[in-house]
């Protein structure tokens, strides 16, 4: 569940993302050992590189300074979601619809604990995944992970 700062940071960053031609996959605001961290995870078709992350960082920093809603000092980070990032929030699942995902379940279903399929949808905290022509509804809490599948 997103906290209030993450929700406001997402709202603040949406216009910047649109202007930059990227999509905000997720925003996290966390206390770390050395203070707070606000991290935007951005993506676009074909992926993002350091140049896009840097440009977004400069632009969103200006918007955040203007809004000035974060009370604590924080470090701003901008990153691509990463190849091994687990999908956890509804926003991520909906953005990656149509993409292939790897799934590992805590408990095997019909003798299958790990599989790859196409993420068709997300509703009621469950990912709808088509694997080998069979559509399965996987509650996120029953999965060790659901992440984008990458073949190298």
């Amino acid at each position: 569940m997103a906290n209030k700062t993450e929700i406001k940071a997402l709202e603040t960053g949406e216009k910047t993302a649109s202007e930059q031609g990227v999509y905000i996959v997720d925003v996290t605001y966390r206390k770390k050992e050395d203070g707070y961290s606000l991290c935007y995870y951005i993506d676009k078709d074909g992926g993002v590189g350091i140049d896009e992350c840097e440009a977004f960082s400069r632009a969103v920093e200006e918007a955040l300074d203007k809004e000035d809603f974060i009370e604590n000092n924080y470090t701003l980070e901008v990153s691509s979601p990463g190849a091994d990032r687990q999908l956890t929030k509804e926003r991520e699942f909906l953005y990656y619809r149509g993409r292939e995902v790897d799934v590992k379940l805590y408990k095997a279903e019909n003798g299958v604990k790990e599989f790859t399929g196409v993420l068709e949808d997300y509703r009621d905290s469950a990912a709808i995944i088509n694997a080998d022509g069979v559509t399965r509804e996987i509650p996120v809490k029953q999965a060790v992970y659901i992440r984008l599948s990458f073949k190298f």
Side-chain angles (χ1 to χ4, degrees):
M1 177 111 185
N3 63 44
K4 290 178 185 177
T5 301
E6 290 171 344
I7 293 167
K8 181 68 175 166
L10 175 62
E11 292 170 357
T12 302
E14 287 287 16
K15 182 177 182 212
T16 301
S18 178
E19 291 169 352
Q20 301 272 326
V22 298
Y23 180 82
I24 300 171
V25 175
D26 193 16
V27 177
T28 60
Y29 179 71
R30 304 277 185 263
K31 179 152 179 50
K32 294 186 172 183
E33 289 181 22
D34 58 345
Y36 287 85
S37 170
L38 176 65
C39 187
Y40 285 89
Y41 295 92
I42 62 171
D43 204 358
K44 70 176 185 178
D45 287 342
V48 293
I50 194 160
D51 292 339
E52 288 94 352
C53 290
E54 191 176 307
F56 180 82
S57 178
R58 283 193 305 273
V60 81
E61 182 176 33
E62 189 176 305
L64 290 166
D65 286 348
K66 184 178 178 182
E67 292 286 325
D68 195 29
F69 61 90
I70 302 174
E71 294 178 19
N72 300 307
N73 289 334
Y74 64 93
T75 301
L76 176 63
E77 300 173 24
V78 177
S79 175
S80 70
D84 62 347
R85 181 179 171 80
Q86 294 182 37
L87 305 181
T88 58
K89 295 181 182 175
E90 179 178 20
R91 181 177 183 82
E92 296 171 285
F93 283 99
L94 295 176
Y95 178 72
Y96 288 116
R97 281 183 293 200
R99 294 278 303 269
E100 197 169 74
V101 292
D102 293 326
V103 180
K104 182 174 183 179
L105 303 173
Y106 286 108
K107 183 178 175 185
E109 288 184 8
N110 300 322
V112 178
K113 193 170 184 175
E114 294 184 59
F115 63 94
T116 299
V118 175
L119 177 61
E120 292 185 341
D121 206 355
Y122 181 86
R123 61 179 171 267
D124 301 323
S125 299
I128 313 305
I129 301 169
N130 186 309
D132 299 322
V134 176
T135 300
R136 302 168 70 176
E137 188 169 320
I138 309 295
V140 174
K141 290 184 178 185
Q142 291 180 11
V144 176
Y145 61 75
I146 301 173
R147 63 182 178 211
L148 295 179
S149 181
F150 288 94
K151 306 292 187 235
F152 297 99

